[in-house]
Amino acid sequence: MTDDGFPGFSPMHGDAVQVTTSTTSVTITGSVTSQGVLRDGRGFVELTLPDGDPQQRRDLERARSYQYRLYRDGVLLYSSPSLTLSETRRTKDGTLVVAGSP
């Protein structure tokens, strides 16, 4: 498990993620990916979530900041620090990508 604020550039794959914002805490199950990316010299964490509950998606898209814990088979893989939401986008298949920075 890593909790240093940046998950690294190799993707981590999990089967559940617990996301906490200032107004809600949700657990999303399915194929979840967490990966560090560099854009314009800045580090971001991208969390890719399976298509799921539309209300949960709207809540995440409106959040200003969030924290998450990524799990695989019940084992904690990564616990993020508080992240400032910088971008949300949808892929062609409907998955939501949430990007933030420490």
Side-chain angles (χ1 to χ4, degrees):
M1 180 187 86
T2 174
D3 61 0
D4 62 1
F6 196 73
F9 297 106
S10 296
M12 284 188 280
H13 301 283
D15 55 19
V17 65
Q18 181 182 20
V19 182
T20 304
T21 69
S22 62
T23 59
T24 189
S25 180
V26 298
T27 299
I28 299 170
T29 58
S31 178
V32 180
T33 303
S34 174
Q35 181 173 2
V37 296
L38 280 178
R39 265 188 246 126
D40 299 324
R42 292 188 56 208
F44 295 89
V45 177
E46 286 191 347
L47 181 62
T48 304
L49 304 166
D51 195 14
D53 182 322
Q55 184 59 46
Q56 289 177 346
R57 298 299 186 124
R58 284 190 290 275
D59 290 345
L60 290 174
E61 290 172 330
R62 289 187 209 128
R64 291 187 179 155
S65 64
Y66 64 101
Q67 238 177 320
Y68 69 93
R69 291 175 171 232
L70 178 66
Y71 296 89
R72 184 173 50 229
D73 297 326
V75 175
L76 180 62
L77 299 178
Y78 178 73
S79 180
S80 79
S82 182
L83 300 167
T84 301
L85 182 71
S86 61
E87 172 189 26
T88 60
R89 69 180 185 279
R90 297 210 179 249
T91 63
K92 291 179 185 178
D93 64 359
T95 59
L96 178 67
V97 178
V98 180
S101 58

